mmCIF file of all heavy atoms in Angstrom:
data_model
loop_
_atom_site.group_PDB
_atom_site.id
_atom_site.type_symbol
_atom_site.label_atom_id
_atom_site.label_comp_id
_atom_site.label_asym_id
_atom_site.label_seq_id
_atom_site.Cartn_x
_atom_site.Cartn_y
_atom_site.Cartn_z
ATOM 1 N N VAL E 203 0.827 -1.201 0.013
ATOM 2 C CA VAL E 203 -0.007 0.013 -0.022
ATOM 3 C C VAL E 203 0.885 1.247 -0.010
ATOM 4 O O VAL E 203 2.042 1.191 0.422
ATOM 5 C CB VAL E 203 -0.953 0.065 1.231
ATOM 6 C CG1 VAL E 203 -1.924 -1.111 1.165
ATOM 7 C CG2 VAL E 203 -0.190 0.036 2.501
ATOM 8 N N GLN E 204 0.308 2.360 -0.433
ATOM 9 C CA GLN E 204 0.980 3.606 -0.374
ATOM 10 C C GLN E 204 0.916 4.208 1.001
ATOM 11 O O GLN E 204 -0.002 3.948 1.805
ATOM 12 C CB GLN E 204 0.338 4.602 -1.363
ATOM 13 C CG GLN E 204 0.316 4.137 -2.781
ATOM 14 C CD GLN E 204 1.452 4.694 -3.611
ATOM 15 O OE1 GLN E 204 1.842 5.819 -3.419
ATOM 16 N NE2 GLN E 204 2.015 3.898 -4.513
ATOM 17 N N ALA E 205 1.905 5.033 1.296
ATOM 18 C CA ALA E 205 1.887 5.733 2.624
ATOM 19 C C ALA E 205 0.590 6.492 2.730
ATOM 20 O O ALA E 205 0.168 7.196 1.758
ATOM 21 C CB ALA E 205 3.110 6.648 2.733
ATOM 22 N N GLY E 206 -0.017 6.496 3.885
ATOM 23 C CA GLY E 206 -1.264 7.122 4.121
ATOM 24 C C GLY E 206 -2.488 6.264 3.820
ATOM 25 O O GLY E 206 -3.626 6.619 4.182
ATOM 26 N N GLY E 207 -2.278 5.101 3.244
ATOM 27 C CA GLY E 207 -3.345 4.195 2.960
ATOM 28 C C GLY E 207 -3.768 3.277 4.066
ATOM 29 O O GLY E 207 -3.244 3.442 5.191
ATOM 30 N N SER E 208 -4.631 2.364 3.778
ATOM 31 C CA SER E 208 -5.201 1.524 4.829
ATOM 32 C C SER E 208 -5.181 0.050 4.338
ATOM 33 O O SER E 208 -5.199 -0.264 3.171
ATOM 34 C CB SER E 208 -6.663 1.905 5.116
ATOM 35 O OG SER E 208 -6.727 3.209 5.596
ATOM 36 N N LEU E 209 -5.122 -0.831 5.295
ATOM 37 C CA LEU E 209 -5.280 -2.260 5.135
ATOM 38 C C LEU E 209 -6.094 -2.852 6.250
ATOM 39 O O LEU E 209 -6.072 -2.338 7.350
ATOM 40 C CB LEU E 209 -3.923 -2.965 5.085
ATOM 41 C CG LEU E 209 -3.090 -2.919 3.782
ATOM 42 C CD1 LEU E 209 -1.789 -3.585 3.981
ATOM 43 C CD2 LEU E 209 -3.849 -3.557 2.591
ATOM 44 N N ARG E 210 -6.811 -3.902 5.943
ATOM 45 C CA ARG E 210 -7.536 -4.644 6.997
ATOM 46 C C ARG E 210 -7.042 -6.100 6.977
ATOM 47 O O ARG E 210 -7.278 -6.845 6.000
ATOM 48 C CB ARG E 210 -9.032 -4.629 6.752
ATOM 49 C CG ARG E 210 -9.768 -5.134 7.933
ATOM 50 C CD ARG E 210 -11.264 -5.363 7.567
ATOM 51 N NE ARG E 210 -12.121 -5.580 8.766
ATOM 52 C CZ ARG E 210 -13.319 -6.111 8.753
ATOM 53 N NH1 ARG E 210 -13.855 -6.497 7.591
ATOM 54 N NH2 ARG E 210 -14.000 -6.266 9.890
ATOM 55 N N LEU E 211 -6.387 -6.480 8.038
ATOM 56 C CA LEU E 211 -5.897 -7.832 8.183
ATOM 57 C C LEU E 211 -6.950 -8.704 8.843
ATOM 58 O O LEU E 211 -7.666 -8.231 9.707
ATOM 59 C CB LEU E 211 -4.586 -7.893 9.029
ATOM 60 C CG LEU E 211 -3.456 -6.976 8.591
ATOM 61 C CD1 LEU E 211 -2.259 -7.164 9.486
ATOM 62 C CD2 LEU E 211 -3.099 -7.218 7.113
ATOM 63 N N SER E 212 -6.961 -9.955 8.450
ATOM 64 C CA SER E 212 -7.888 -10.932 9.050
ATOM 65 C C SER E 212 -7.080 -12.130 9.557
ATOM 66 O O SER E 212 -6.056 -12.495 9.011
ATOM 67 C CB SER E 212 -8.891 -11.375 8.017
ATOM 68 O OG SER E 212 -9.700 -10.339 7.558
ATOM 69 N N CYS E 213 -7.554 -12.731 10.589
ATOM 70 C CA CYS E 213 -7.003 -13.951 11.156
ATOM 71 C C CYS E 213 -8.114 -14.959 11.406
ATOM 72 O O CYS E 213 -8.941 -14.733 12.282
ATOM 73 C CB CYS E 213 -6.246 -13.675 12.452
ATOM 74 S SG CYS E 213 -5.648 -15.109 13.330
ATOM 75 N N ALA E 214 -8.128 -16.009 10.623
ATOM 76 C CA ALA E 214 -9.144 -17.039 10.804
ATOM 77 C C ALA E 214 -8.575 -18.124 11.678
ATOM 78 O O ALA E 214 -7.507 -18.702 11.391
ATOM 79 C CB ALA E 214 -9.535 -17.607 9.415
ATOM 80 N N ALA E 215 -9.355 -18.548 12.684
ATOM 81 C CA ALA E 215 -8.904 -19.541 13.618
ATOM 82 C C ALA E 215 -9.709 -20.772 13.502
ATOM 83 O O ALA E 215 -10.937 -20.751 13.182
ATOM 84 C CB ALA E 215 -9.051 -19.007 15.068
ATOM 85 N N SER E 216 -9.063 -21.924 13.695
ATOM 86 C CA SER E 216 -9.762 -23.218 13.697
ATOM 87 C C SER E 216 -9.100 -24.126 14.702
ATOM 88 O O SER E 216 -7.931 -23.935 15.091
ATOM 89 C CB SER E 216 -9.746 -23.860 12.297
ATOM 90 O OG SER E 216 -8.372 -24.085 11.895
ATOM 91 N N GLY E 217 -9.797 -25.135 15.167
ATOM 92 C CA GLY E 217 -9.230 -26.099 16.119
ATOM 93 C C GLY E 217 -9.284 -25.597 17.568
ATOM 94 O O GLY E 217 -8.688 -26.275 18.399
ATOM 95 N N LEU E 218 -9.863 -24.483 17.853
ATOM 96 C CA LEU E 218 -9.977 -23.998 19.195
ATOM 97 C C LEU E 218 -11.366 -23.348 19.449
ATOM 98 O O LEU E 218 -12.079 -23.072 18.497
ATOM 99 C CB LEU E 218 -8.832 -23.021 19.555
ATOM 100 C CG LEU E 218 -8.607 -21.844 18.564
ATOM 101 C CD1 LEU E 218 -9.739 -20.800 18.662
ATOM 102 C CD2 LEU E 218 -7.251 -21.191 18.843
ATOM 103 N N THR E 219 -11.660 -23.221 20.711
ATOM 104 C CA THR E 219 -12.898 -22.499 21.059
ATOM 105 C C THR E 219 -12.588 -21.040 21.034
ATOM 106 O O THR E 219 -12.169 -20.444 22.030
ATOM 107 C CB THR E 219 -13.433 -22.954 22.432
ATOM 108 O OG1 THR E 219 -13.566 -24.388 22.429
ATOM 109 C CG2 THR E 219 -14.752 -22.325 22.709
ATOM 110 N N PHE E 220 -12.803 -20.430 19.896
ATOM 111 C CA PHE E 220 -12.302 -19.093 19.653
ATOM 112 C C PHE E 220 -12.728 -18.055 20.644
ATOM 113 O O PHE E 220 -11.915 -17.240 21.074
ATOM 114 C CB PHE E 220 -12.712 -18.683 18.195
ATOM 115 C CG PHE E 220 -12.243 -17.335 17.785
ATOM 116 C CD1 PHE E 220 -10.975 -17.138 17.369
ATOM 117 C CD2 PHE E 220 -13.106 -16.247 17.828
ATOM 118 C CE1 PHE E 220 -10.507 -15.868 16.977
ATOM 119 C CE2 PHE E 220 -12.677 -14.998 17.432
ATOM 120 C CZ PHE E 220 -11.393 -14.827 16.995
ATOM 121 N N SER E 221 -13.979 -18.135 21.059
ATOM 122 C CA SER E 221 -14.490 -17.117 21.911
ATOM 123 C C SER E 221 -13.856 -17.134 23.329
ATOM 124 O O SER E 221 -14.000 -16.158 24.083
ATOM 125 C CB SER E 221 -16.027 -17.268 22.083
ATOM 126 O OG SER E 221 -16.383 -18.539 22.631
ATOM 127 N N ASN E 222 -13.166 -18.162 23.674
ATOM 128 C CA ASN E 222 -12.519 -18.298 24.964
ATOM 129 C C ASN E 222 -11.084 -17.712 24.989
ATOM 130 O O ASN E 222 -10.471 -17.718 26.070
ATOM 131 C CB ASN E 222 -12.481 -19.738 25.445
ATOM 132 C CG ASN E 222 -13.826 -20.303 25.757
ATOM 133 O OD1 ASN E 222 -14.803 -19.526 25.929
ATOM 134 N ND2 ASN E 222 -13.925 -21.615 25.911
ATOM 135 N N TYR E 223 -10.593 -17.279 23.870
ATOM 136 C CA TYR E 223 -9.204 -16.869 23.717
ATOM 137 C C TYR E 223 -9.062 -15.317 23.620
ATOM 138 O O TYR E 223 -9.898 -14.696 22.937
ATOM 139 C CB TYR E 223 -8.549 -17.480 22.554
ATOM 140 C CG TYR E 223 -8.190 -18.918 22.699
ATOM 141 C CD1 TYR E 223 -9.155 -19.913 22.742
ATOM 142 C CD2 TYR E 223 -6.874 -19.325 22.815
ATOM 143 C CE1 TYR E 223 -8.795 -21.272 22.897
ATOM 144 C CE2 TYR E 223 -6.490 -20.653 22.966
ATOM 145 C CZ TYR E 223 -7.474 -21.601 22.999
ATOM 146 O OH TYR E 223 -7.158 -22.936 23.142
ATOM 147 N N ARG E 224 -8.073 -14.801 24.277
ATOM 148 C CA ARG E 224 -7.644 -13.454 23.942
ATOM 149 C C ARG E 224 -6.872 -13.547 22.626
ATOM 150 O O ARG E 224 -6.065 -14.401 22.422
ATOM 151 C CB ARG E 224 -6.719 -12.897 25.019
ATOM 152 C CG ARG E 224 -6.180 -11.501 24.723
ATOM 153 C CD ARG E 224 -5.111 -11.067 25.654
ATOM 154 N NE ARG E 224 -5.527 -11.120 27.076
ATOM 155 C CZ ARG E 224 -6.201 -10.130 27.685
ATOM 156 N NH1 ARG E 224 -6.541 -9.046 26.997
ATOM 157 N NH2 ARG E 224 -6.611 -10.269 28.922
ATOM 158 N N MET E 225 -7.142 -12.609 21.731
ATOM 159 C CA MET E 225 -6.451 -12.630 20.435
ATOM 160 C C MET E 225 -5.580 -11.356 20.368
ATOM 161 O O MET E 225 -5.967 -10.256 20.819
ATOM 162 C CB MET E 225 -7.492 -12.589 19.313
ATOM 163 C CG MET E 225 -8.433 -13.795 19.305
ATOM 164 S SD MET E 225 -7.569 -15.409 19.185
ATOM 165 C CE MET E 225 -6.842 -15.216 17.562
ATOM 166 N N GLY E 226 -4.418 -11.537 19.737
ATOM 167 C CA GLY E 226 -3.479 -10.462 19.624
ATOM 168 C C GLY E 226 -2.878 -10.381 18.255
ATOM 169 O O GLY E 226 -2.855 -11.371 17.442
ATOM 170 N N TRP E 227 -2.307 -9.227 17.912
ATOM 171 C CA TRP E 227 -1.521 -9.039 16.738
ATOM 172 C C TRP E 227 -0.143 -8.517 17.108
ATOM 173 O O TRP E 227 0.005 -7.629 17.986
ATOM 174 C CB TRP E 227 -2.154 -7.967 15.793
ATOM 175 C CG TRP E 227 -3.401 -8.464 15.077
ATOM 176 C CD1 TRP E 227 -4.684 -8.245 15.453
ATOM 177 C CD2 TRP E 227 -3.434 -9.146 13.854
ATOM 178 N NE1 TRP E 227 -5.532 -8.846 14.506
ATOM 179 C CE2 TRP E 227 -4.789 -9.383 13.545
ATOM 180 C CE3 TRP E 227 -2.423 -9.638 12.988
ATOM 181 C CZ2 TRP E 227 -5.189 -10.060 12.406
ATOM 182 C CZ3 TRP E 227 -2.808 -10.338 11.835
ATOM 183 C CH2 TRP E 227 -4.173 -10.558 11.558
ATOM 184 N N PHE E 228 0.848 -9.110 16.507
ATOM 185 C CA PHE E 228 2.235 -8.734 16.672
ATOM 186 C C PHE E 228 2.812 -8.484 15.308
ATOM 187 O O PHE E 228 2.262 -8.918 14.291
ATOM 188 C CB PHE E 228 3.025 -9.772 17.404
ATOM 189 C CG PHE E 228 2.631 -9.967 18.850
ATOM 190 C CD1 PHE E 228 1.477 -10.647 19.207
ATOM 191 C CD2 PHE E 228 3.439 -9.502 19.868
ATOM 192 C CE1 PHE E 228 1.112 -10.822 20.496
ATOM 193 C CE2 PHE E 228 3.037 -9.619 21.195
ATOM 194 C CZ PHE E 228 1.928 -10.327 21.495
ATOM 195 N N ARG E 229 3.970 -7.847 15.234
ATOM 196 C CA ARG E 229 4.649 -7.608 14.005
ATOM 197 C C ARG E 229 6.171 -7.710 14.145
ATOM 198 O O ARG E 229 6.669 -7.497 15.256
ATOM 199 C CB ARG E 229 4.270 -6.278 13.371
ATOM 200 C CG ARG E 229 4.825 -5.098 14.062
ATOM 201 C CD ARG E 229 4.335 -3.783 13.432
ATOM 202 N NE ARG E 229 5.000 -2.595 13.953
ATOM 203 C CZ ARG E 229 4.673 -1.360 13.628
ATOM 204 N NH1 ARG E 229 3.678 -1.134 12.763
ATOM 205 N NH2 ARG E 229 5.392 -0.359 14.155
ATOM 206 N N GLN E 230 6.829 -8.022 13.052
ATOM 207 C CA GLN E 230 8.277 -8.123 13.070
ATOM 208 C C GLN E 230 8.824 -7.598 11.771
ATOM 209 O O GLN E 230 8.493 -8.124 10.717
ATOM 210 C CB GLN E 230 8.760 -9.559 13.326
ATOM 211 C CG GLN E 230 10.222 -9.677 13.519
ATOM 212 C CD GLN E 230 10.615 -11.024 14.127
ATOM 213 O OE1 GLN E 230 9.839 -11.994 14.014
ATOM 214 N NE2 GLN E 230 11.779 -11.141 14.697
ATOM 215 N N ALA E 231 9.618 -6.561 11.890
ATOM 216 C CA ALA E 231 10.314 -5.991 10.757
ATOM 217 C C ALA E 231 11.677 -6.627 10.626
ATOM 218 O O ALA E 231 12.252 -7.091 11.549
ATOM 219 C CB ALA E 231 10.435 -4.487 10.931
ATOM 220 N N PRO E 232 12.293 -6.577 9.425
ATOM 221 C CA PRO E 232 13.630 -7.145 9.225
ATOM 222 C C PRO E 232 14.643 -6.549 10.206
ATOM 223 O O PRO E 232 14.720 -5.317 10.340
ATOM 224 C CB PRO E 232 13.947 -6.771 7.776
ATOM 225 C CG PRO E 232 12.611 -6.647 7.110
ATOM 226 C CD PRO E 232 11.711 -6.052 8.154
#
């Protein structure tokens, strides 16, 4: 994306009772 733009990330979960979990986002740059 261009600077100033937007993105929407999604995370689909399976194999767990999703509603019972805290969910988080992390990132790692080079």
Side-chain angles (χ1 to χ4, degrees):
V203 297
Q204 302 265 321
S208 299
L209 282 175
R210 191 191 193 198
L211 306 183
S212 298
C213 172
S216 61
L218 51 71
T219 305
F220 181 77
S221 61
N222 291 346
Y223 284 72
R224 179 190 302 278
M225 302 299 297
W227 287 96
F228 293 76
R229 71 184 189 184
Q230 188 166 20

